[in-house]
């Protein structure tokens, strides 16, 4: 992949980063409202806690994605973007178009997933 193609991925990454930051800000406000609001009864309190828990899980997932995006942006700046961290071969362009912050090629990702399932 040439450096000329990097701008496509950098734009996608920056666009997604801005989306995530906005969602995280909205979630932070919603979580604060849920924890600070007056709760009517035990049922409402339980629903509020479940809703808060779901929002916190989404928040954590998005924070992780944001970290992956920042790593990918740094790799673009360093000229190491699009290289599998495991086999050091180029990651397929179609894979990067779907997941621009991918760290691994398809084959290595499958190996990692299989190892992860075997450890559980």
């Amino acid at each position: 992949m040439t450096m000329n193609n990097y701008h496509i991925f950098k734009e996608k990454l920056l666009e997604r980063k801005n989306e995530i930051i906005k969602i995280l800000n909205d979630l932070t406000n919603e979580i604060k409202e849920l924890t600070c609001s007056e709760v009517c009864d035990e049922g409402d309190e339980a629903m509020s806690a479940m809703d808060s828990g779901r929002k916190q899980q989404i928040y954590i997932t998005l924070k992780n994605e944001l970290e992956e995006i920042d790593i990918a942006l740094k790799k673009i700046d360093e000229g190491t973007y699009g290289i599998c961290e495991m086999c050091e071969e180029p990651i397929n362009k179609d894979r990067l178009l779907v997941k621009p912050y991918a760290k691994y090629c398809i084959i290595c990702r499958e190996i990692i997933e299989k190892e992860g399932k075997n450890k559980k």
Side-chain angles (χ1 to χ4, degrees):
M1 187 176 332
T2 66
M3 288 292 283
N4 296 344
N5 291 337
Y6 285 174
H7 76 278
I8 297 165
F9 298 108
K10 190 168 188 171
E11 280 179 32
K12 284 178 84 69
L13 288 163
L14 289 171
E15 187 177 305
R16 181 63 180 150
K17 181 176 180 171
N18 290 331
E19 284 175 19
I20 291 174
I21 289 170
K22 184 187 180 318
I23 294 168
L24 289 174
N25 287 335
D26 292 346
L27 275 173
T28 300
N29 292 333
E30 287 177 30
I31 291 168
K32 282 181 187 172
E33 285 175 21
L34 283 171
T35 54
C36 297
S37 66
E38 290 294 319
V39 179
C40 298
D41 61 29
E42 289 177 19
D44 289 341
E45 190 173 326
M47 287 301 292
S48 178
M50 279 178 39
D51 197 30
S52 178
R54 275 193 297 271
K55 287 184 185 334
Q56 287 173 340
Q57 189 57 51
I58 292 167
Y59 184 90
I60 290 166
T61 301
L62 289 172
K63 283 291 274 188
N64 290 339
E65 185 178 347
L66 192 59
E67 287 175 23
E68 298 291 332
I69 289 170
D70 284 338
I71 291 167
L73 289 168
K74 185 177 179 192
K75 286 181 178 184
I76 288 174
D77 292 340
E78 294 171 347
T80 58
Y81 179 77
I83 304 297
C84 177
E85 289 185 6
M86 192 162 148
C87 69
E88 297 182 0
E89 293 293 322
I91 299 172
N92 184 293
K93 185 177 178 181
D94 291 336
R95 173 156 168 69
L96 290 172
L97 286 170
V98 172
K99 186 176 180 183
Y101 52 88
K103 290 182 175 184
Y104 307 106
C105 67
I106 293 286
I107 294 168
C108 291
R109 182 193 54 124
E110 288 174 0
I111 291 168
I112 289 168
E113 285 179 359
K114 278 184 186 172
E115 287 177 359
K117 287 178 184 169
N118 291 337
K119 289 180 183 175
K120 290 181 182 174

